[in-house]
Amino acid sequence: MSAFFHLPGAHRIPLGAYPLWDEALVLVNRDLAATLPDQEPLCLAGHPGCTEDEAEYVHVALANGESQGSSLDPDSAGDPAHALWAVTDAAQETVTELLWQAWPLCGEHDLGMHPREADGRLSWWCAGGRGPGEPAHVRAAVGGLDTLVRPRRPHRRRRRKS
């Protein structure tokens, strides 16, 4: 991968420039560390507007500055719930497209999860398994994947050969 920050005008956005996006990114990076521990934390990357009067475009990027997808909606920077949704969605797109893998995966079904509101919180939602006993479910709130432990499966008895 080439470092995007070497392109003219592209830069890492310093902490504090967009406080609600920073807070949302902390939660998303917690989930990234829990599920992809070898991956460096995501960051906010700024790209200059097309004209001098146009505000910069902000993306959720890999540590080297590469990003994928649309820029963050500037209106989301002022509302905590909207900021979390925008950052989570952008982070998932960047990780999935640039690392070529579904992220995050449900620990029970090994399927990609998607952000969805549940009980007033943005959460990671899994479509469930293929069997009737494996329904769709909320796995954890965004930022909470590090608190999960894998479900314990009962030990299977080995059959004795007679």
Side-chain angles (χ1 to χ4, degrees):
M1 281 189 234
S2 63
F4 181 82
F5 289 128
H6 291 112
L7 296 176
H11 62 283
R12 181 182 301 266
I13 295 180
L15 286 175
Y18 300 99
L20 294 180
W21 287 343
D22 291 340
E23 290 174 23
L25 197 56
V26 166
L27 294 175
V28 171
N29 274 327
R30 188 180 303 157
D31 289 343
L32 185 72
T35 56
L36 297 175
D38 294 334
Q39 185 63 40
E40 292 182 61
L42 302 170
C43 65
L44 295 179
H47 309 171
C50 295
T51 66
E52 289 181 23
D53 298 337
E54 191 175 23
E56 71 181 342
Y57 296 102
V58 179
H59 295 262
V60 175
L62 298 178
N64 70 356
E66 286 185 299
S67 63
Q68 175 68 33
S70 301
S71 60
L72 295 173
D73 177 5
D75 292 338
S76 72
D79 173 59
H82 195 187
L84 181 57
W85 185 273
V87 169
T88 300
D89 191 50
Q92 185 177 40
E93 185 167 358
T94 290
V95 171
T96 299
E97 292 295 326
L98 295 178
L99 299 183
W100 286 58
Q101 65 184 64
W103 177 81
L105 293 178
C106 173
E108 291 178 43
H109 300 110
D110 204 31
L111 295 171
M113 297 185 288
H114 300 280
R116 188 176 272 192
E117 191 171 326
D119 298 326
R121 300 183 317 180
L122 189 61
S123 300
W124 292 114
W125 176 83
C126 171
R130 295 199 168 129
E134 300 179 50
H137 61 102
V138 170
R139 186 78 175 131
V142 170
L145 291 176
D146 63 340
T147 63
L148 295 176
V149 290
R150 290 203 147 197
R152 187 170 177 180
R153 296 191 174 150
H155 295 289
R156 294 183 182 168
R157 290 185 181 180
R158 292 185 183 182
R159 289 185 178 178
R160 289 185 168 177
K161 291 184 181 180
S162 305

